[in-house]
Amino acid sequence: MSTATPQTASTLITNIGELSTQDYTDGAAASVLHRAAVLFEGERISWIGAAADAPSADAVVDAGGRAGLPGWVDSHTHLVFAGDRSAEFEARMTGQSYAAGGIAVTTEATRGASDYDLTRLLLARVAEAAAGGTTYLETKTGYGLNLEEERRHARIASGVADQVTFLGAHLVPNGVDADQYTDLVCTDMLDAVLPYVQWADVFCEKGAFTEDQSRRVLAACRKAGLGLRVHGNQLGPGAGVQLAVEFGAASVDHVNYLSDDDVAALAGTWSGWDGGGTPGTVATCLPACDLSTRAPLADARRLLDAGVPVALASNCNPGTSYTSSMNFCVATAVLQMGLTVQEALRAATYGGALALRVHTGTDRDGQRAVGSLAVGHRADLQLLNAPSAAHLAYRPGMPLTGSVWRSGVQVR
């Protein structure tokens, strides 16, 4: 993200009326502090506590009693694209059902866009997300669907997004044999994108990739050293969740149709996890997409009650969820998915960080955790134009994100 102004050596954000830290260090519950302050030193949080006890700093920002919370961690987006699919959206609103084949429309438009145009569009979308409080995001390839285009999109994304996922297995292009295309994804295409990506994903769904094809993709990408994610159980019951568990994927995303066995399998990946070691498979819910496709909302309440950590993500893409508003996702989770405000905040911050495996790390020169506010974590903070985070659902749709800091730098 490149939407920031130069930083001072230290910045104190003080007079925060309500501070939701979402800090789960050592398994502790997230804390909510009142009349709080946070001190940034460079890119790092160096102190958190009562405003009355705050140390001095080079610069001081008076929050004026507003609510503070971590920047959103958006763990599922598709931002490298050109073109428009509003006609498809209108058709769905008249009753046509969603099918994966609409991806081909975006593929054609994106292939025709120059590097300059794709980069410009990507930067604009990231800036929109940052203005809405998102300070860390993942994005995917998947609108290239041939070797050169997938490599090009991965290269462009790697210069802008925090993490990039290889999604060559998004859809089988028209006129191409599915097994031959799967072989390409698993070999030459995978080799081409490896310098630019950290993750691999597969759309395991009717109309996209079968269970066998998805297994081949996951096995090849794991062998290549990539972390794994799965698009699963979106359009109906399927193998996606079970494959994600089998391969130790960091997340399985969509999860609209879950059997009892699916929920139990996901819960089993978290058995005994106490905040240290390797996390299990996060269930990532994409409520904006569910509303746009008129699908049943993912049952986040059921997952949480079973002990499965949940992430909320925007799924920003041109076909089924053309929004990067995590505020909207949080409001929907509270108003329609049965989550409390704090559960929704956790899913949109710490949950996303878990899904991207950036929830820990406090070294000055190493990885700093995102998605929570604690000493040593990356200095990502947002202030709302409201006295409490409850206003995100209490006043849905209002532009409540007021000020945003990313790595200690205020986003403009």
Side-chain angles (χ1 to χ4, degrees):
M1 299 182 183
S2 56
T3 55
T5 55
Q7 66 184 33
T8 55
S10 62
T11 302
L12 180 70
I13 317 297
T14 190
N15 194 19
I16 302 171
E18 173 195 275
L19 181 66
S20 300
T21 70
Q22 299 303 313
D23 179 18
Y24 288 79
T25 304
D26 299 324
S31 60
V32 178
L33 308 178
H34 298 278
R35 295 176 293 281
V38 179
L39 181 67
F40 301 155
E41 289 186 6
E43 299 181 354
R44 176 180 184 272
I45 297 173
S46 62
W47 182 89
I48 296 177
D53 300 328
S56 60
D58 297 313
V60 177
V61 176
D62 187 343
R66 293 184 290 164
L69 60 150
W72 305 127
V73 180
D74 194 348
S75 61
H76 184 130
T77 77
H78 304 253
L79 300 180
V80 185
F81 68 86
D84 180 85
R85 284 164 63 185
S86 56
E88 175 190 326
F89 171 79
E90 286 191 283
R92 279 203 310 279
M93 296 305 101
T94 63
Q96 293 186 24
S97 61
Y98 168 67
I103 294 165
V105 176
T106 299
T107 299
E108 181 178 0
T110 307
R111 287 178 178 177
S114 67
D115 283 13
Y116 173 82
D117 284 337
L118 283 182
T119 302
R120 176 179 56 82
L121 290 167
L122 176 58
L123 286 168
R125 289 165 189 145
V126 169
E128 283 184 336
T134 297
T135 54
Y136 196 96
L137 61 77
E138 173 266 14
T139 200
K140 307 176 194 296
T141 71
Y143 293 129
L145 305 185
N146 64 36
L147 188 151
E148 292 302 326
E149 286 294 306
E150 284 292 306
R151 175 165 53 196
R152 182 170 78 106
H153 300 178
R155 173 176 53 78
I156 290 169
S158 70
V160 180
D162 295 289
Q163 295 194 28
V164 183
T165 299
F166 169 46
L167 186 56
H170 201 184
L171 188 74
V172 178
N174 291 331
V176 178
D177 178 82
D179 286 326
Q180 290 180 358
Y181 181 73
T182 302
D183 288 341
L184 175 65
V185 170
C186 295
T187 55
D188 293 348
M189 188 184 288
L190 172 58
D191 291 341
V193 303
L194 270 179
Y196 309 108
V197 303
Q198 295 79 43
W199 301 94
D201 200 343
V202 59
F203 192 8
C204 180
E205 201 71 62
K206 182 179 180 181
F209 290 81
T210 66
E211 178 180 354
D212 178 65
Q213 291 162 350
S214 299
R215 179 175 279 106
R216 287 159 58 192
V217 170
L218 293 170
C221 292
R222 180 172 65 182
K223 184 177 180 180
L226 295 178
L228 302 179
R229 334 190 70 76
V230 177
H231 279 57
N233 300 62
Q234 177 188 6
L235 305 180
V241 166
Q242 297 295 334
L243 279 176
V245 171
E246 175 186 337
F247 280 88
S251 72
V252 57
D253 302 18
H254 287 291
V255 294
N256 300 88
Y257 295 88
L258 296 175
S259 68
D260 289 343
D261 287 344
D262 292 332
V263 175
L266 286 170
T269 69
W270 295 93
S271 178
W273 190 73
D274 61 358
T278 303
T281 300
V282 175
T284 302
C285 301
L286 310 171
C289 176
D290 299 342
L291 294 174
S292 177
T293 58
R294 292 186 169 169
L297 287 158
D299 197 346
R301 177 78 272 148
R302 178 184 177 195
L303 288 160
L304 287 175
D305 289 346
V308 181
V310 166
L312 289 173
S314 72
N315 191 26
C316 185
N317 76 83
T320 62
S321 186
Y322 201 176
T323 179
S324 60
S325 175
M326 293 291 283
N327 291 11
F328 175 73
C329 295
V330 167
T332 301
V334 174
L335 295 173
Q336 300 192 52
M337 297 171 68
L339 271 62
T340 67
V341 171
Q342 284 299 321
E343 286 171 336
L345 293 184
R346 181 184 188 183
T349 54
Y350 184 79
L354 265 180
L356 295 174
R357 302 306 197 235
V358 287
H359 59 292
T360 61
T362 57
D363 295 336
R364 285 181 177 270
D365 300 317
Q367 175 178 294
R368 298 183 183 90
V370 299
S372 56
L373 302 174
V375 172
H377 291 196
R378 203 171 86 170
D380 291 359
L381 172 76
Q382 57 177 313
L383 293 177
L384 304 180
N385 292 325
S388 75
H391 280 239
L392 290 166
Y394 176 49
R395 303 186 68 210
M398 301 305 294
L400 294 183
T401 300
S403 303
V404 181
W405 285 262
R406 180 182 185 273
S407 296
V409 179
Q410 189 166 7
V411 173
R412 300 296 186 186

